[in-house]
Amino acid sequence: MSATLPITLTVNGESVSADVAPRVPLVDFLRETLGLTGTHLGCAHGVCGACTVRVDGAAVRGCLMLAVQADGATVETVEGVSDSGEIADLQDAFHRHNALQCGFCTAGMLMTAAELLDAGGPPPERAEIREHISGNYCRCTGYQSIVDAVEEVAQARAADKGGQA
Amino acid sequence: MNVTTKYDRPNSYIGSSVPRPNAARLLQGRGRYVDDKILPRMLHAAFLRSPHAHARITRIDTEAARALPGVVAVYDGAEIARHVTPWQGVLTHLAGMRSPDQPALAIDVARWQGEPVVMVVAQSRAIAEDALALIEVEYDPLPAVTDMEAALTEDAPRIHPEIDSNLCWQRDIDAGDVEAAFDDPANTVVERRFTFGRHTGVTLEPRVCIGDYDPSEDRLTMHYSGQAPHMMQSVLSRHLGVPEARVRVIAEDVGGSFGIKIHTYGDEIATMAAAKLLKRPVKFAADRLESFMTDIHARDHRVTARAAIDAEGRLQAVEIDDITGIGPYSVYPRSSGIEGNQVINLIGAPYELPAYRARLRVAFQNKVPMCQYRAVGHPIAMAVMEGIMDDLAAASGRDPVELRRINLRADDSYPSASPQGMKFADLSHQACLDKLLDMMDYERLKADQDRLRAQGVYRGIGFVNMVEVTNPSPMFYGVGGAPIAAQDGATARLDASGAVHVANSITEQGQGSESILAQITADVMGVDLADVHVTTGDTATVPYGGGTWASRGAGIGGEAMLRAATALKDQVLEVAAAILQGRPEALDIRAGNIVDRDSGQIRMGLADLGRTVYYRGNELPDGVAPELIATRHFKVSDYPFVFTNGIMASHVEVDAETGIVTLLDHWVVEDVGTILNEKLVDEQIRGGVVQGIGGALYEECVYSEDGQLQNATMADYLVPMAGEMPDIRIAHVSTPTRTSELGAKGAGEAGTAGAPGAVMNAVNDALRPLGARLSQMPMTPERVLKSLRQGG
Amino acid sequence: MKTNAFAYQRPDTAEEAVRLAAEGGDGARFIAGGQSLLAALNFRLDEPEALIDISRIATLRGIERRENRLLIGALTRHAEVAASPEVARDLPLIARAMREVAHPAIRNRGTFGGSLALADPAAEMPACALALDAVMHVLSPEGRRQVPAAEFFCGMYETALEPGELLTGVEIPLPEPGARHGFSELARRHGDYAMAGLAMMLGPRSGGVPSWARVAFFGLSDCPARSAAAEAAILSGARPEDCAAKACEEIEVFGDLNADEATKRHYAEVMLRRELTRLANDEERTA
């Protein structure tokens, strides 16, 4: 066993320090050390998207990043963006459209969709939404309701912006 | 669409598309999946698995692994077998089925690549995996039996020496004069051979369990990611020697199951045994590699089909030969025979069919065990029959819709029965077909198709008529000796605050089980949906029952809920009448208040009633019991299954140069009887369609000839992702089942049942002008190209 | 699927990184974005003794114009390359190909240099590097050297990088005005590695034919491969279908789970014919 290393990072706005073994992936650190179990581990090889979290503002795979690599970083998980209300509109749309069944993909799906919604520009077309979430696997919904929810929020946010302009 | 039921009235919930109350938690990352649970002193299991499809285990050396710091225990198959009795996945009503004893971990011989051989329990999963690398196992490879047909030849190596062949089960059906139909020169006869690949469930949450044993009370708790807690309770009791009443199985949030997590897995049972031996909680969370190599696989059939129509296009006979490969054991306790049984039972079900002959052979092989996965057998039955219908239409110069219309069972013909003896009632094929054609604008699509073909663009339209097994009775499993309840129980009680708490033996894996239970209860009780609190999934707290599988949650658990809530309402009104010195019949509950039935005038709140009964029982008249709780159970009687029906169409474009299939549209018309929540039904169907599309176009467990799984990663095993999936349009016809008051039939498997056949027919419709035809799933680009080269 | 235990080092400079790699010997691996490496480690396909995390070496990250060349630092994220206005304007082939590289979360962390150094035979960027005649900048304790793309990709996950050598950046000559690009990829799902792919640059037309041509295929062989025969056919003014027939003349094609050798050859021809036809039609339209 290699020695643990000290890391300090900001998770959901809170500074966290811990000693971690280098081999611990970020997703395991969040789930097991910090108890942030809203982020899930689905495949551990970067394909399913269940572990998607935000690191320094970008959506990344929590299974393809080591916790030691997040030293000094700002990490946000579904718990953080829920408590802050940042994606409340997206969560509400997911709820109304039944854009989740078992819920295991949902955190990753929300983090991925949130990045698309924050990208700026005109609201994305359905095909663009589908392409953007095509690295997030959902076995339950068939995706259509997810696309419906994201599309609705994109249009609502664009209309809001238009109204304010 | 506005669904009107007999329950429809202001403020009713049955039939209303309310959002799922329990989804809010999941949206905020506050789910409680098994892997989220970290118990004090918990250990972690990992398994060394056979790298060979078939091999004798000659030596196991675990010394180095045991010496690794952090390793707590190492068990091989023989050691685990001292604490776990083996099981046999046979059902007595599937006459003649055989499958030998299966141990939790392989003993002496490993029979599939991935079978657990040694278990390590350590302080972390990572350390357990480190220890696996230190274990030495010597194998003496044996000939692997992989091809299902080769497995049944005389000289095939035996997978189980104690059985005289690799045949697990055979069933034959012979009804009506099949030969005469095929011999009649006036009839049109077609024949075709289909191949359906193996695929698997790929639940996003892999299998995961925690065993927690308290020796002071001899109590075993299993934290379970699965569909049937009471079945699991019985299985654990039988094989671990803990009294059934002292086994508690708890299923909270489940990250997808689809039939994958309803079977007995040796690694899970061994985890429970380890928890018992070590007197500490032990968690086993399968990783993705383990999921591919140990979760049950599905399908894997070769089917030869022959059918005849007369000059008027009426079906005269169908003949089927189905062989299916199930791996080395029939899976316990549901058996691996049901899949093939449903194939031969359901073929031809939507149509008037006078003669039918079928042979089913279920073969052992050295691959991952195969068992029931969403839509068990249906996708095969539908794809075969509907493929044959298209062939018959082409051979007789008829439009595929016209031929189907000639043969469909008439909506006014029920009850009726098929040559296989299936009893049908309350089906609506004709109404569904009409609705579908209207929704998809069939004539316009056909015109577009002709126009585009002239430009070298190949589009196709494919249809599937479906009959689906839902709401099974005890004739499905219980009759065959399996510890699987066909009935479900529901309890409803009023608490002192006037809120309603319900518990039900059906389970939730995201279908919306808890939502429909709340809807039914709120509707019956006349309370706000938010005032109904639902418990499922815990054998310590819910009534005894089957769980959620075989499209039975709403139809059986929902009916039990309806009856329990009705009984509770009667109790409430009785007590209210006593307090208010009136008659129960003159009262009702509306918006959480006891009201005069006729005037609607509020007499007292449910909270007042609750407090009176529970705190101030002295105010109750003599003879009124302080009892506001009712339990009811329900099973389907008179019919073995509540069959339902639907129809689908798929619209695709095939790039004839690359073989790539683009899905353009997909339509479904489904009759689920009474619709409890249309949004949930539609999303069940959509998700099911996409799983079906997975089997049709993408998913296949690819094996080498020596039984090595070639694509056990999510990069290589392709599941449907958002980019390629079409929007799916859904409409309903509602014919409530006569077997219950609620009238709900199942909805969970319809999409998966029909989609593969619809897509296959659409692809073949696109290829038809090019002289090609494909009869193998998944329809990969390469297979499409090969069919074009071979001309079908 | 947990990795083995390893040590972790995070040098601040490229020089320190290669020094650590030299010290670590066979058991040391550089980790940049880690999007392929960590997946492999999770499967225990590789069990290193130490990871040298180069991802924070600022000098290896960014896109810079140097005269008629664009220098892309090895640690520049795929997402940064995809969003770069310089890349969009000057290297539209890369901008086009980036859309097919995995999925957003992978592009957010995966690096341009990492993709080249990994040399996955079915990946897009190595083929683009060939088509663009890129030059790899390589650092070792012995010093710096440059390797042309044509000599960089040697085989399945094999490059000209010696043990301990670090790819620091990629220098790409900007195609002259009038040059055109072609790109095509056949994958079973969006974002998957290719069953077959084509990255191509054609020089400005002179006398009705391109002045030069670089046709690179990926997903066909053990590494991305130029097709000299197809290039010669293009320069000879042959029709698209005749150029396409030459696509795999000197390429050793290997089948995989999704497409056998014959299918891949067929795909190469279809892609090349379609892209050449499209470019010819575009030409006609603008003419």
Side-chain angles (χ1 to χ4, degrees):
Chain A
M1 281 293 293
S2 300
T4 58
L5 296 172
I7 60 171
T8 297
L9 61 162
T10 302
V11 180
N12 298 330
E14 184 181 334
S15 179
V16 174
S17 294
D19 290 316
V20 296
R23 68 161 144 178
V24 174
L26 179 62
V27 61
D28 286 2
F29 175 73
L30 294 170
R31 287 176 50 78
E32 293 168 14
T33 307
L34 302 186
L36 293 166
T37 55
T39 303
H40 300 138
L41 183 65
C43 76
H45 53 290
V47 184
C48 79
C51 63
T52 307
V53 294
R54 201 187 276 162
V55 176
D56 293 333
V60 305
R61 300 285 199 243
C63 71
L64 296 186
M65 182 170 177
L66 301 170
V68 287
Q69 292 184 293
D71 184 26
T74 297
V75 176
E76 291 159 282
T77 69
V78 66
E79 290 92 342
V81 295
S82 296
D83 293 352
S84 71
E86 182 198 323
I87 59 163
D89 56 347
L90 185 60
Q91 288 164 316
D92 179 62
F94 265 58
H95 200 187
R96 282 183 290 100
H97 287 278
N98 201 43
L100 70 158
Q101 289 180 26
C102 81
F104 206 76
C105 74
T106 306
M109 202 62 91
L110 289 169
M111 299 307 277
T112 302
E115 187 167 70
L116 178 66
L117 291 168
D118 288 344
E125 304 278 325
R126 289 179 77 80
E128 193 180 343
I129 297 167
R130 283 186 177 276
E131 187 175 318
H132 190 87
I133 63 169
S134 66
N136 288 74
Y137 172 49
C138 169
R139 189 53 140 178
C140 301
T141 62
Y143 303 105
Q144 183 170 337
S145 53
I146 297 171
V147 177
D148 290 345
V150 176
E151 183 183 37
E152 183 192 289
V153 173
Q155 287 172 357
R157 287 193 189 178
D160 273 2
K161 265 193 207 148
Q164 285 161 7
Chain B
M1 195 181 98
N2 186 28
V3 180
T4 304
T5 73
K6 57 185 167 170
Y7 296 96
D8 205 45
R9 61 171 192 274
N11 303 318
S12 71
Y13 287 104
I14 293 175
S16 167
S17 288
V18 294
R20 290 161 51 208
N22 61 355
R25 282 188 304 110
L26 306 178
L27 278 160
Q28 299 201 12
R30 292 177 181 275
R32 293 184 295 271
Y33 303 90
V34 174
D35 198 32
D36 298 343
K37 299 182 185 186
I38 299 177
L39 305 186
R41 301 179 69 228
M42 188 169 77
L43 300 169
H44 299 264
F47 293 86
L48 190 71
R49 298 178 180 280
S50 171
H52 301 285
H54 198 192
R56 189 167 301 285
I57 301 165
T58 55
R59 189 177 70 90
I60 298 176
D61 183 348
T62 60
E63 199 176 332
R66 288 174 199 274
L68 186 73
V71 170
V72 175
V74 180
Y75 304 111
D76 63 14
E79 175 65 21
I80 288 291
R82 280 194 274 280
H83 310 284
V84 178
T85 57
W87 48 84
Q88 274 193 6
V90 294
L91 295 170
T92 56
H93 67 304
L94 305 184
M97 170 178 273
R98 60 219 186 141
S99 185
D101 276 355
Q102 181 179 1
L105 269 57
I107 301 170
D108 298 332
V109 177
R111 293 184 170 86
W112 83 88
Q113 179 209 20
E115 184 172 7
V117 175
V118 184
M119 176 187 201
V120 172
V121 184
Q123 288 164 358
S124 73
R125 170 78 187 202
I127 293 172
E129 289 189 25
D130 293 343
L132 295 184
L134 300 173
I135 296 171
E136 284 178 41
V137 179
E138 275 176 21
Y139 296 95
D140 183 6
L142 298 167
V145 182
T146 53
D147 183 84
M148 59 178 92
E149 281 169 281
L152 295 185
T153 56
E154 279 286 313
D155 51 352
R158 299 275 165 75
I159 294 173
H160 301 289
E162 61 267 51
I163 297 185
D164 64 0
S165 75
N166 294 321
L167 182 70
C168 169
W169 186 46
Q170 174 162 344
R171 183 182 168 210
D172 295 272
I173 301 173
D174 199 347
D177 195 344
V178 173
E179 280 314 318
F182 290 125
D183 290 345
D184 187 339
N187 289 347
T188 302
V189 177
V190 299
E191 181 171 335
R192 184 164 161 196
R193 187 172 157 83
F194 297 83
T195 304
F196 299 92
R198 267 183 172 242
H199 50 94
T200 184
V202 200
T203 57
L204 184 53
E205 177 204 41
R207 288 189 297 110
V208 52
C209 62
I210 302 171
D212 187 5
Y213 180 70
D214 180 346
S216 68
E217 294 189 326
D218 190 22
R219 282 188 194 279
L220 177 67
T221 301
M222 180 188 198
H223 297 269
Y224 166 68
S225 176
Q227 302 170 237
H230 281 112
M231 180 201 88
M232 210 61 211
Q233 179 188 40
S234 174
V235 166
L236 294 178
S237 171
R238 283 183 182 197
H239 298 285
L240 288 163
V242 179
E244 190 160 329
R246 290 178 185 270
V247 176
R248 179 180 181 185
V249 178
I250 303 171
E252 290 193 71
D253 292 316
V254 175
S257 188
F258 317 111
I260 294 300
K261 298 173 179 172
I262 199 165
H263 309 294
T264 305
Y265 291 95
D267 47 25
E268 295 182 21
I269 301 298
T271 301
M272 298 304 118
K276 192 176 166 208
L277 288 168
L278 297 169
K279 306 176 180 65
R280 289 175 70 174
V282 180
K283 178 189 280 184
F284 166 61
D287 64 32
R288 188 53 61 184
L289 196 55
E290 290 179 297
S291 301
F292 280 112
M293 301 214 299
T294 64
D295 287 5
I296 58 113
H297 289 179
R299 321 303 183 218
D300 204 8
H301 294 256
R302 281 176 210 155
V303 181
T304 303
R306 195 155 68 120
I309 50 173
D310 67 13
E312 281 73 49
R314 289 184 303 241
L315 277 165
Q316 297 301 300
V318 171
E319 183 177 23
I320 297 295
D321 186 80
D322 178 16
I323 178 167
T324 180
I326 60 159
Y329 295 99
S330 174
V331 175
Y332 179 71
R334 287 168 189 259
S335 96
S336 304
I338 297 292
E339 161 91 4
N341 200 42
Q342 298 213 145
V343 172
I344 61 171
N345 272 346
L346 291 174
I347 280 180
Y351 305 110
E352 295 287 352
L353 176 63
Y356 181 71
R357 186 158 65 196
R359 176 176 68 159
L360 165 70
R361 286 172 300 160
V362 178
F364 292 120
Q365 52 182 178
N366 292 115
K367 292 182 180 176
V368 171
M370 187 280 285
C371 199
Q372 284 85 304
Y373 162 63
R374 194 177 196 176
V376 187
H378 291 65
I380 312 303
M382 306 307 149
V384 167
M385 187 64 205
E386 298 299 309
I388 284 285
M389 290 299 278
D390 275 11
D391 293 350
L392 288 166
S396 65
R398 290 184 172 85
D399 183 274
V401 170
E402 183 199 345
L403 185 74
R404 285 172 170 83
R405 205 185 276 287
I406 291 169
N407 287 287
L408 279 178
R409 291 177 184 278
D411 292 354
D412 60 3
S413 67
Y414 303 102
S416 61
S418 71
Q420 295 96 316
M422 302 291 111
K423 285 166 70 181
F424 301 128
D426 314 314
L427 303 184
S428 58
H429 290 294
Q430 293 171 320
C432 287
L433 174 61
D434 289 340
K435 200 159 203 166
L436 179 87
L437 295 177
D438 192 39
M439 177 166 60
M440 66 190 284
D441 198 351
Y442 182 50
E443 294 306 322
R444 180 187 58 79
L445 276 183
K446 282 204 297 183
D448 288 351
Q449 185 183 28
D450 290 342
R451 181 174 53 75
L452 288 165
R453 272 177 188 166
Q455 301 166 21
V457 174
Y458 297 97
R459 291 189 173 178
I461 306 162
F463 293 91
V464 156
N465 277 299
M466 305 182 284
V467 167
E468 305 135 49
V469 169
T470 80
N471 300 2
S473 78
M475 302 309 285
F476 204 26
Y477 289 115
V479 67
I484 298 169
Q487 61 75 39
D488 274 289
T491 295
R493 66 181 168 91
L494 192 80
D495 74 9
S497 75
V500 182
H501 298 259
V502 304
N504 198 298
S505 56
I506 65 168
T507 52
E508 170 83 90
Q509 300 98 41
Q511 302 91 334
S513 302
E514 294 192 350
S515 302
I516 59 117
L517 295 174
Q519 286 179 255
I520 292 165
T521 304
D523 192 294
V524 171
M525 287 294 295
V527 299
D528 194 276
L529 192 65
D531 289 326
V532 180
H533 303 267
V534 183
T535 300
T536 62
D538 184 346
T539 56
T541 58
V542 304
Y544 202 93
T548 299
W549 42 270
S551 300
R552 65 189 298 287
I556 298 178
E559 177 73 10
M561 195 72 257
L562 178 81
R563 294 179 182 199
T566 303
L568 175 63
K569 182 181 181 183
D570 290 347
Q571 289 176 344
V572 167
L573 293 183
E574 197 131 326
V575 171
I579 295 170
L580 298 169
Q581 297 179 331
R583 290 177 306 114
E585 310 83 67
L587 299 172
D588 198 1
I589 312 173
R590 287 175 203 160
N593 292 303
I594 309 289
V595 299
D596 278 329
R597 179 179 292 275
D598 293 335
S599 69
Q601 191 197 343
I602 294 176
R603 302 294 305 278
M604 69 188 299
L606 281 177
D608 290 346
L609 183 133
R611 291 195 183 98
T612 304
V613 170
Y614 292 124
Y615 304 157
R616 305 189 303 275
N618 56 307
E619 294 177 12
L620 296 177
D622 287 349
V624 175
E627 188 165 54
L628 298 172
I629 183 167
T631 297
R632 293 291 183 274
H633 288 253
F634 176 73
K635 71 172 168 63
V636 171
S637 305
D638 302 327
Y639 287 80
F641 308 101
V642 176
F643 284 107
T644 186
N645 69 284
I647 186 167
M648 279 187 203
S650 164
H651 186 213
V652 306
E653 184 171 313
V654 180
D655 182 334
E657 281 193 313
T658 64
I660 290 175
V661 175
T662 302
L663 301 160
L664 301 173
D665 302 284
H666 203 100
W667 301 270
V668 183
V669 180
E670 182 69 17
D671 187 341
V672 300
T674 303
I675 296 173
L676 305 177
N677 183 323
E678 187 179 359
K679 179 70 106 180
L680 299 188
V681 169
D682 288 358
E683 292 308 317
Q684 282 296 296
I685 292 172
R686 287 198 175 96
V689 165
V690 167
Q691 277 185 23
I693 288 171
L697 294 180
Y698 300 104
E699 298 183 43
E700 183 170 26
C701 301
V702 180
Y703 274 91
S704 68
E705 277 180 20
D706 57 352
Q708 298 284 313
L709 185 57
Q710 306 284 289
N711 58 340
T713 77
M714 288 194 68
D716 296 315
Y717 179 99
L718 306 186
V719 291
M721 301 300 273
E724 288 72 33
M725 291 304 109
D727 280 343
I728 298 159
R729 289 182 60 195
I730 295 171
H732 301 278
V733 169
S734 180
T735 316
T737 171
R738 66 188 67 187
T739 57
S740 70
E741 194 185 335
L742 191 60
K745 306 169 183 171
E749 299 172 282
T752 310
V759 175
M760 180 176 257
N761 282 349
V763 167
N764 283 324
D765 188 43
L767 294 176
R768 196 163 288 117
L770 299 165
R773 187 181 72 183
L774 196 55
S775 302
Q776 181 174 10
M777 291 185 197
M779 295 175 282
T780 64
E782 182 160 64
R783 286 181 182 142
V784 172
L785 284 181
K786 286 189 173 155
S787 79
L788 282 162
R789 265 178 243 147
Q790 291 160 2
Chain C
M1 281 178 53
K2 306 292 180 193
T3 71
N4 68 304
F6 46 74
Y8 173 82
Q9 296 158 312
R10 195 165 61 216
D12 295 324
T13 65
E15 289 71 18
E16 194 188 344
V18 294
R19 187 180 55 74
L20 288 171
E23 283 171 16
D26 285 352
R29 305 280 181 280
F30 294 119
I31 178 168
Q35 300 302 282
S36 298
L37 179 67
L38 286 176
L41 299 197
N42 285 343
F43 280 112
R44 295 201 186 202
L45 293 173
D46 186 17
E47 301 190 32
E49 289 160 20
L51 291 189
I52 301 166
D53 184 354
I54 56 172
S55 65
R56 299 200 192 177
I57 300 175
T59 54
L60 303 188
R61 187 166 173 183
I63 299 168
E64 190 189 324
R65 175 79 177 259
R66 284 191 193 161
E67 294 173 1
N68 59 344
R69 286 156 192 277
L70 214 57
L71 187 72
I72 303 180
L75 296 181
T76 312
R77 311 272 190 213
H78 290 309
E80 292 165 347
V81 175
S84 158
E86 288 87 1
V87 170
R89 188 185 61 230
D90 297 331
L91 297 173
L93 172 64
I94 288 184
R96 168 67 191 86
M98 232 2 130
R99 282 166 31 200
E100 311 300 327
V101 176
H103 303 284
I106 301 290
R107 295 199 291 266
N108 280 342
R109 202 152 168 82
T111 64
F112 192 71
S115 174
L116 297 172
L118 179 70
D120 188 301
E124 295 82 1
M125 288 306 127
C128 289
L130 276 185
L132 289 164
D133 225 2
V135 176
M136 312 297 169
H137 289 200
V138 176
L139 179 72
S140 72
E142 282 72 50
R144 297 179 183 276
R145 66 180 182 116
Q146 299 192 349
V147 184
E151 295 164 21
F152 188 75
F153 303 103
C154 308
M156 177 102 63
Y157 303 108
E158 269 182 43
T159 66
L161 289 172
E162 298 291 336
E165 276 192 325
L166 177 66
L167 177 68
T168 58
V170 185
E171 195 177 297
I172 304 175
L174 303 186
E176 64 258 55
R180 291 150 304 148
H181 72 277
F183 182 85
S184 179
E185 177 169 338
L186 296 175
R188 288 181 61 190
R189 302 175 309 180
H190 175 78
D192 282 351
Y193 280 110
M195 292 191 286
L198 164 71
M200 161 170 85
M201 291 299 305
L202 300 180
R205 288 165 77 90
S206 119
V209 296
S211 49
W212 49 267
R214 286 191 292 271
V215 175
F217 289 103
F218 55 103
L220 299 185
S221 193
D222 57 351
C223 61
R226 291 265 296 268
S227 172
E231 290 169 5
I234 291 167
L235 297 182
S236 77
R239 294 178 309 167
E241 50 270 39
D242 296 327
C243 298
K246 304 272 186 193
C248 296
E249 207 167 85
E250 327 91 328
I251 299 175
E252 193 180 3
V253 178
F254 300 106
D256 59 29
L257 282 178
N258 289 317
D260 64 16
E261 185 197 330
T263 302
K264 283 183 183 261
R265 287 178 178 278
H266 169 74
Y267 281 161
E269 293 176 16
V270 170
M271 289 188 301
L272 183 57
R273 194 200 73 230
R274 284 181 174 181
E275 277 303 90
L276 289 173
T277 304
R278 180 184 65 78
L279 288 169
N281 290 344
D282 286 355
E283 199 84 23
E284 238 169 68
R285 221 168 294 139
T286 49

